[in-house]
Amino acid sequence: DAGITQSPRHKVTETGTPVTLRCHQTENHRYMYWYRQDPGHGLRLIHYSYGVKDTDKGEVSDGYSVSRSKTEDFLLTLESATSSQTSVYFCAISDPDKNTEAFFGQGTRLTVV
Amino acid sequence: GQNIDQPTEMTATEGAIVQINCTYQTSGFNGLFWYQQHAGEAPTFLSYNVLDGLEEKGRFSSFLSRSKGYSYLLLKELQMKDSASYLCAIKAAGNKLTFGGGTRVLVKP
């Protein structure tokens, strides 16, 4: 299995609080992605990174920010959590120079109450 | 941007064959992926197509037609453990990876 770890695995937080989710990889892959998965919507791309300090928006980026200060870590921050951000969040990594497919972390279940 | 369509749900019988279609529109194409996802788990890679034609891997095959913006995943000799969601994804320019809504396949005895 690819070395990719998400933390925390589960979190309950209150509306209006900031929340940071962490994705850590040991594969030295260049690309990292954050997705959310909700019933009826599949996996939707929030943000992705193509290198240290290089990030770009996905289709559902409003209300989220990301940072990548090291190759191995990609952080997703909900600046002020809302109930609509209750979801399962998946991180993925890929590197076209090494292999074609993306590998996924185990997911973080976030509940905003 | 990308637009990816696949059926929401399909039901098939154990031992049978099921074909899951995926149609897409994209600006820039660097490959199409199929992933399997069991309930409560992370997606796992099944297949990758970048050129037209059929890729076969055991009981699973995937086909791509770039001119038609069309792919399918063929699952043969269905087993109960194949009950899962199957996700079609497009890799566009810049290695951006976008997924369709997924197809839930229910295998019945």
Side-chain angles (χ1 to χ4, degrees), chain A residues 31 33 35 37 41-43 45 48 57 59 90 94 96 100-102 104-106, chain B residues 33 35 37 41-43 45 48 87 91 93-102:
Chain A
Y31 290 83
Y33 309 81
Y35 293 89
Q37 189 170 39
H41 288 280
L43 284 164
L45 182 64
Y48 68 108
K57 295 180 180 180
E59 55 189 307
F90 284 100
S94 76
T100 53
E101 69 267 34
F104 282 81
Q106 290 305 300
Chain B
F33 295 84
Y35 280 79
Q37 186 179 26
E41 297 182 7
F45 170 74
Y48 172 67
L87 314 176
K91 185 195 290 188
N95 233 45
K96 186 175 182 179
L97 190 60
T98 303
F99 284 79

Short mmCIF file of all heavy atoms in Angstrom, two decimals, chain A residues 31 33 35 37 41-43 45 48 57 59 90 94 96 100-102 104-106, chain B residues 33 35 37 41-43 45 48 87 91 93-102:
data_model
loop_
_atom_site.label_atom_id
_atom_site.label_comp_id
_atom_site.label_asym_id
_atom_site.label_seq_id
_atom_site.Cartn_x
_atom_site.Cartn_y
_atom_site.Cartn_z
N TYR A 31 2.24 15.19 -6.84
CA TYR A 31 0.88 15.71 -6.82
C TYR A 31 0.13 15.20 -5.59
O TYR A 31 0.21 14.01 -5.23
CB TYR A 31 0.11 15.27 -8.07
CG TYR A 31 0.59 15.95 -9.33
CD1 TYR A 31 1.69 15.48 -10.03
CD2 TYR A 31 -0.09 17.07 -9.83
CE1 TYR A 31 2.12 16.11 -11.20
CE2 TYR A 31 0.33 17.69 -10.99
CZ TYR A 31 1.44 17.21 -11.66
OH TYR A 31 1.86 17.84 -12.81
N TYR A 33 -3.92 15.73 -3.70
CA TYR A 33 -5.28 16.20 -3.95
C TYR A 33 -6.13 16.08 -2.70
O TYR A 33 -5.95 15.16 -1.90
CB TYR A 33 -5.95 15.33 -5.04
CG TYR A 33 -5.18 15.12 -6.30
CD1 TYR A 33 -4.17 14.16 -6.38
CD2 TYR A 33 -5.48 15.85 -7.46
CE1 TYR A 33 -3.47 13.95 -7.57
CE2 TYR A 33 -4.79 15.63 -8.65
CZ TYR A 33 -3.78 14.69 -8.69
OH TYR A 33 -3.10 14.49 -9.87
N TYR A 35 -10.26 15.75 -1.86
CA TYR A 35 -11.60 15.57 -2.38
C TYR A 35 -12.57 15.50 -1.21
O TYR A 35 -12.21 15.11 -0.10
CB TYR A 35 -11.72 14.25 -3.15
CG TYR A 35 -10.93 14.17 -4.42
CD1 TYR A 35 -9.61 13.72 -4.42
CD2 TYR A 35 -11.49 14.54 -5.64
CE1 TYR A 35 -8.88 13.64 -5.60
CE2 TYR A 35 -10.77 14.46 -6.82
CZ TYR A 35 -9.46 14.01 -6.79
OH TYR A 35 -8.74 13.94 -7.95
N GLN A 37 -16.46 13.70 -0.45
CA GLN A 37 -17.39 12.73 -1.01
C GLN A 37 -18.69 12.79 -0.25
O GLN A 37 -18.73 12.58 0.96
CB GLN A 37 -16.82 11.30 -0.98
CG GLN A 37 -17.67 10.31 -1.74
CD GLN A 37 -17.00 8.97 -1.89
OE1 GLN A 37 -16.34 8.47 -0.99
NE2 GLN A 37 -17.16 8.34 -3.07
N HIS A 41 -23.00 12.68 -5.06
CA HIS A 41 -22.07 13.60 -5.73
C HIS A 41 -20.74 12.98 -6.08
O HIS A 41 -19.91 13.60 -6.71
CB HIS A 41 -21.82 14.82 -4.86
CG HIS A 41 -22.99 15.75 -4.78
ND1 HIS A 41 -23.30 16.67 -5.76
CD2 HIS A 41 -23.93 15.90 -3.82
CE1 HIS A 41 -24.38 17.34 -5.41
NE2 HIS A 41 -24.79 16.90 -4.24
N GLY A 42 -20.48 11.80 -5.67
CA GLY A 42 -19.19 11.20 -5.97
C GLY A 42 -18.07 11.97 -5.30
O GLY A 42 -18.26 12.67 -4.30
N LEU A 43 -16.88 11.87 -5.87
CA LEU A 43 -15.70 12.58 -5.36
C LEU A 43 -15.59 13.92 -6.08
O LEU A 43 -15.50 13.96 -7.30
CB LEU A 43 -14.44 11.75 -5.62
CG LEU A 43 -14.19 10.56 -4.72
CD1 LEU A 43 -13.16 9.64 -5.35
CD2 LEU A 43 -13.72 11.02 -3.36
N LEU A 45 -13.38 17.46 -6.42
CA LEU A 45 -12.05 18.01 -6.16
C LEU A 45 -12.15 19.37 -5.49
O LEU A 45 -12.82 20.28 -6.00
CB LEU A 45 -11.27 18.12 -7.47
CG LEU A 45 -9.84 18.63 -7.38
CD1 LEU A 45 -8.96 17.66 -6.59
CD2 LEU A 45 -9.27 18.82 -8.79
N TYR A 48 -5.82 21.02 -5.31
CA TYR A 48 -4.74 20.08 -5.50
C TYR A 48 -3.42 20.83 -5.55
O TYR A 48 -3.39 22.07 -5.69
CB TYR A 48 -4.95 19.22 -6.74
CG TYR A 48 -4.85 19.91 -8.07
CD1 TYR A 48 -3.75 19.72 -8.90
CD2 TYR A 48 -5.87 20.74 -8.53
CE1 TYR A 48 -3.68 20.35 -10.15
CE2 TYR A 48 -5.80 21.37 -9.75
CZ TYR A 48 -4.70 21.16 -10.56
OH TYR A 48 -4.63 21.79 -11.77
N LYS A 57 -7.08 25.50 -7.53
CA LYS A 57 -8.43 25.22 -7.07
C LYS A 57 -9.06 24.10 -7.87
O LYS A 57 -8.80 23.93 -9.07
CB LYS A 57 -9.29 26.48 -7.19
CG LYS A 57 -8.86 27.60 -6.28
CD LYS A 57 -9.77 28.81 -6.47
CE LYS A 57 -9.35 29.94 -5.55
NZ LYS A 57 -10.21 31.13 -5.71
N GLU A 59 -13.17 22.10 -8.19
CA GLU A 59 -14.53 22.52 -8.50
C GLU A 59 -15.32 23.03 -7.31
O GLU A 59 -16.33 23.72 -7.48
CB GLU A 59 -15.27 21.36 -9.17
CG GLU A 59 -15.26 20.09 -8.35
CD GLU A 59 -15.82 18.88 -9.11
OE1 GLU A 59 -16.94 18.99 -9.62
OE2 GLU A 59 -15.13 17.84 -9.15
N PHE A 90 -11.21 12.87 1.36
CA PHE A 90 -10.14 11.97 0.92
C PHE A 90 -8.96 12.77 0.36
O PHE A 90 -9.14 13.71 -0.41
CB PHE A 90 -10.63 11.01 -0.16
CG PHE A 90 -11.50 9.90 0.34
CD1 PHE A 90 -12.88 9.98 0.23
CD2 PHE A 90 -10.94 8.77 0.93
CE1 PHE A 90 -13.68 8.94 0.69
CE2 PHE A 90 -11.73 7.74 1.39
CZ PHE A 90 -13.10 7.82 1.28
N SER A 94 -0.26 11.33 -6.42
CA SER A 94 0.14 10.71 -7.68
C SER A 94 1.44 11.33 -8.16
O SER A 94 1.83 12.42 -7.72
CB SER A 94 -0.95 10.87 -8.76
OG SER A 94 -0.97 12.18 -9.29
N PRO A 96 3.21 11.24 -12.11
CA PRO A 96 3.26 10.65 -13.45
C PRO A 96 4.65 10.14 -13.83
O PRO A 96 4.78 9.33 -14.74
CB PRO A 96 2.81 11.79 -14.36
CG PRO A 96 3.01 13.03 -13.57
CD PRO A 96 2.82 12.65 -12.14
N THR A 100 1.06 5.70 -13.05
CA THR A 100 -0.04 6.48 -13.63
C THR A 100 -1.14 6.78 -12.63
O THR A 100 -1.75 7.84 -12.70
CB THR A 100 -0.64 5.73 -14.82
OG1 THR A 100 -1.01 4.40 -14.40
CG2 THR A 100 0.34 5.63 -15.97
N GLU A 101 -1.42 5.84 -11.72
CA GLU A 101 -2.63 5.99 -10.92
C GLU A 101 -2.40 6.84 -9.68
O GLU A 101 -1.27 7.05 -9.24
CB GLU A 101 -3.17 4.62 -10.49
CG GLU A 101 -2.31 3.88 -9.48
CD GLU A 101 -1.33 2.94 -10.13
OE1 GLU A 101 -0.83 3.26 -11.23
OE2 GLU A 101 -1.07 1.88 -9.53
N ALA A 102 -3.51 7.33 -9.15
CA ALA A 102 -3.51 8.04 -7.87
C ALA A 102 -3.85 7.05 -6.77
O ALA A 102 -4.62 6.12 -6.95
CB ALA A 102 -4.53 9.18 -7.89
N PHE A 104 -5.15 6.65 -2.70
CA PHE A 104 -5.98 7.39 -1.76
C PHE A 104 -5.67 7.04 -0.32
O PHE A 104 -5.32 5.90 0.01
CB PHE A 104 -7.46 7.07 -2.03
CG PHE A 104 -8.02 7.81 -3.21
CD1 PHE A 104 -7.81 7.35 -4.49
CD2 PHE A 104 -8.73 8.98 -3.03
CE1 PHE A 104 -8.30 8.04 -5.59
CE2 PHE A 104 -9.23 9.68 -4.12
CZ PHE A 104 -9.01 9.20 -5.40
N GLY A 105 -5.81 8.06 0.54
CA GLY A 105 -5.80 7.82 1.96
C GLY A 105 -7.12 7.21 2.40
O GLY A 105 -8.04 7.05 1.60
N GLN A 106 -7.22 6.89 3.70
CA GLN A 106 -8.39 6.17 4.22
C GLN A 106 -9.58 7.08 4.49
O GLN A 106 -10.66 6.61 4.80
CB GLN A 106 -8.01 5.40 5.48
CG GLN A 106 -7.10 4.22 5.20
CD GLN A 106 -7.71 3.29 4.16
OE1 GLN A 106 -8.78 2.74 4.34
NE2 GLN A 106 -7.02 3.12 3.02
N PHE B 33 -9.39 6.77 -15.88
CA PHE B 33 -9.20 5.77 -14.83
C PHE B 33 -10.54 5.19 -14.41
O PHE B 33 -11.57 5.86 -14.44
CB PHE B 33 -8.57 6.41 -13.59
CG PHE B 33 -7.19 6.94 -13.80
CD1 PHE B 33 -6.99 8.20 -14.34
CD2 PHE B 33 -6.09 6.19 -13.45
CE1 PHE B 33 -5.71 8.70 -14.52
CE2 PHE B 33 -4.80 6.68 -13.62
CZ PHE B 33 -4.61 7.94 -14.16
N TYR B 35 -11.91 3.28 -10.84
CA TYR B 35 -11.61 2.92 -9.47
C TYR B 35 -12.80 2.13 -8.90
O TYR B 35 -13.94 2.35 -9.29
CB TYR B 35 -11.39 4.16 -8.59
CG TYR B 35 -10.02 4.77 -8.72
CD1 TYR B 35 -9.70 5.57 -9.81
CD2 TYR B 35 -9.05 4.53 -7.77
CE1 TYR B 35 -8.44 6.13 -9.93
CE2 TYR B 35 -7.78 5.09 -7.87
CZ TYR B 35 -7.49 5.88 -8.96
OH TYR B 35 -6.23 6.43 -9.08
N GLN B 37 -14.73 1.26 -5.23
CA GLN B 37 -14.84 1.73 -3.85
C GLN B 37 -15.91 0.94 -3.11
O GLN B 37 -17.10 1.07 -3.42
CB GLN B 37 -15.15 3.23 -3.79
CG GLN B 37 -15.13 3.79 -2.39
CD GLN B 37 -15.41 5.28 -2.35
OE1 GLN B 37 -16.07 5.83 -3.23
NE2 GLN B 37 -14.91 5.95 -1.33
N GLU B 41 -14.89 2.62 2.55
CA GLU B 41 -13.46 2.46 2.28
C GLU B 41 -12.97 3.48 1.26
O GLU B 41 -13.75 4.19 0.64
CB GLU B 41 -13.18 1.04 1.78
CG GLU B 41 -13.52 -0.04 2.79
CD GLU B 41 -13.20 -1.43 2.28
OE1 GLU B 41 -12.60 -1.56 1.20
OE2 GLU B 41 -13.56 -2.39 2.97
N ALA B 42 -11.66 3.52 1.08
CA ALA B 42 -11.06 4.41 0.08
C ALA B 42 -11.17 3.78 -1.31
O ALA B 42 -11.21 2.56 -1.45
CB ALA B 42 -9.60 4.65 0.42
N PRO B 43 -11.20 4.61 -2.35
CA PRO B 43 -11.16 4.07 -3.72
C PRO B 43 -9.84 3.34 -3.98
O PRO B 43 -8.79 3.76 -3.49
CB PRO B 43 -11.26 5.32 -4.59
CG PRO B 43 -11.83 6.38 -3.72
CD PRO B 43 -11.35 6.08 -2.34
N PHE B 45 -7.52 1.55 -7.26
CA PHE B 45 -7.30 1.61 -8.70
C PHE B 45 -7.64 0.29 -9.38
O PHE B 45 -7.27 -0.78 -8.90
CB PHE B 45 -5.83 1.96 -8.95
CG PHE B 45 -5.39 1.84 -10.38
CD1 PHE B 45 -5.77 2.78 -11.33
CD2 PHE B 45 -4.60 0.78 -10.77
CE1 PHE B 45 -5.35 2.66 -12.64
CE2 PHE B 45 -4.17 0.66 -12.08
CZ PHE B 45 -4.54 1.60 -13.02
N TYR B 48 -6.52 1.80 -16.29
CA TYR B 48 -6.12 3.08 -16.88
C TYR B 48 -6.11 2.93 -18.39
O TYR B 48 -5.54 1.96 -18.91
CB TYR B 48 -4.74 3.47 -16.36
CG TYR B 48 -4.11 4.67 -17.04
CD1 TYR B 48 -4.65 5.94 -16.88
CD2 TYR B 48 -2.96 4.54 -17.80
CE1 TYR B 48 -4.05 7.04 -17.47
CE2 TYR B 48 -2.35 5.64 -18.40
CZ TYR B 48 -2.90 6.88 -18.22
OH TYR B 48 -2.31 7.98 -18.80
N LEU B 87 -15.98 4.11 -10.01
CA LEU B 87 -15.79 5.52 -10.29
C LEU B 87 -14.97 5.69 -11.56
O LEU B 87 -13.89 5.12 -11.69
CB LEU B 87 -15.05 6.20 -9.13
CG LEU B 87 -15.53 5.89 -7.71
CD1 LEU B 87 -14.63 6.56 -6.69
CD2 LEU B 87 -16.96 6.31 -7.53
N LYS B 91 -8.09 12.33 -16.23
CA LYS B 91 -6.91 13.14 -15.94
C LYS B 91 -6.78 14.16 -17.05
O LYS B 91 -6.62 13.81 -18.22
CB LYS B 91 -5.65 12.29 -15.88
CG LYS B 91 -4.42 13.10 -15.46
CD LYS B 91 -3.12 12.36 -15.74
CE LYS B 91 -2.90 11.18 -14.85
NZ LYS B 91 -1.54 10.60 -15.03
N ALA B 93 -5.34 18.28 -18.28
CA ALA B 93 -4.07 18.99 -18.31
C ALA B 93 -3.63 19.33 -16.89
O ALA B 93 -4.47 19.61 -16.02
CB ALA B 93 -4.21 20.27 -19.13
N GLY B 94 -2.33 19.31 -16.66
CA GLY B 94 -1.81 19.63 -15.34
C GLY B 94 -2.04 18.54 -14.32
O GLY B 94 -1.95 18.77 -13.12
N ASN B 95 -2.34 17.32 -14.79
CA ASN B 95 -2.56 16.18 -13.89
C ASN B 95 -3.77 16.35 -12.98
O ASN B 95 -3.89 15.70 -11.95
CB ASN B 95 -1.32 15.93 -13.04
CG ASN B 95 -0.87 14.48 -13.15
OD1 ASN B 95 -0.81 13.93 -14.23
ND2 ASN B 95 -0.57 13.87 -12.03
N LYS B 96 -4.67 17.26 -13.37
CA LYS B 96 -5.90 17.43 -12.59
C LYS B 96 -6.79 16.21 -12.78
O LYS B 96 -7.06 15.80 -13.90
CB LYS B 96 -6.62 18.69 -13.08
CG LYS B 96 -7.82 19.10 -12.27
CD LYS B 96 -8.35 20.43 -12.81
CE LYS B 96 -9.54 20.90 -12.01
NZ LYS B 96 -10.05 22.19 -12.51
N LEU B 97 -7.25 15.63 -11.69
CA LEU B 97 -7.99 14.38 -11.72
C LEU B 97 -9.42 14.63 -11.25
O LEU B 97 -9.64 15.00 -10.10
CB LEU B 97 -7.30 13.37 -10.82
CG LEU B 97 -7.75 11.91 -10.87
CD1 LEU B 97 -7.56 11.35 -12.28
CD2 LEU B 97 -6.97 11.09 -9.86
N THR B 98 -10.39 14.43 -12.16
CA THR B 98 -11.80 14.72 -11.86
C THR B 98 -12.61 13.45 -11.99
O THR B 98 -12.46 12.69 -12.96
CB THR B 98 -12.34 15.78 -12.84
OG1 THR B 98 -11.52 16.95 -12.75
CG2 THR B 98 -13.77 16.15 -12.49
N PHE B 99 -13.53 13.24 -11.04
CA PHE B 99 -14.32 12.01 -10.98
C PHE B 99 -15.77 12.25 -11.39
O PHE B 99 -16.32 13.33 -11.17
CB PHE B 99 -14.30 11.45 -9.56
CG PHE B 99 -13.02 10.77 -9.19
CD1 PHE B 99 -11.91 11.51 -8.82
CD2 PHE B 99 -12.92 9.39 -9.22
CE1 PHE B 99 -10.72 10.89 -8.50
CE2 PHE B 99 -11.74 8.76 -8.90
CZ PHE B 99 -10.64 9.51 -8.53
N GLY B 100 -16.38 11.22 -11.92
CA GLY B 100 -17.81 11.20 -12.11
C GLY B 100 -18.49 10.84 -10.79
O GLY B 100 -17.83 10.63 -9.78
N GLY B 101 -19.82 10.78 -10.83
CA GLY B 101 -20.57 10.54 -9.61
C GLY B 101 -20.52 9.12 -9.09
O GLY B 101 -20.96 8.86 -7.96
N GLY B 102 -19.99 8.20 -9.89
CA GLY B 102 -19.89 6.81 -9.45
C GLY B 102 -21.13 6.00 -9.78
O GLY B 102 -22.25 6.54 -9.85
#
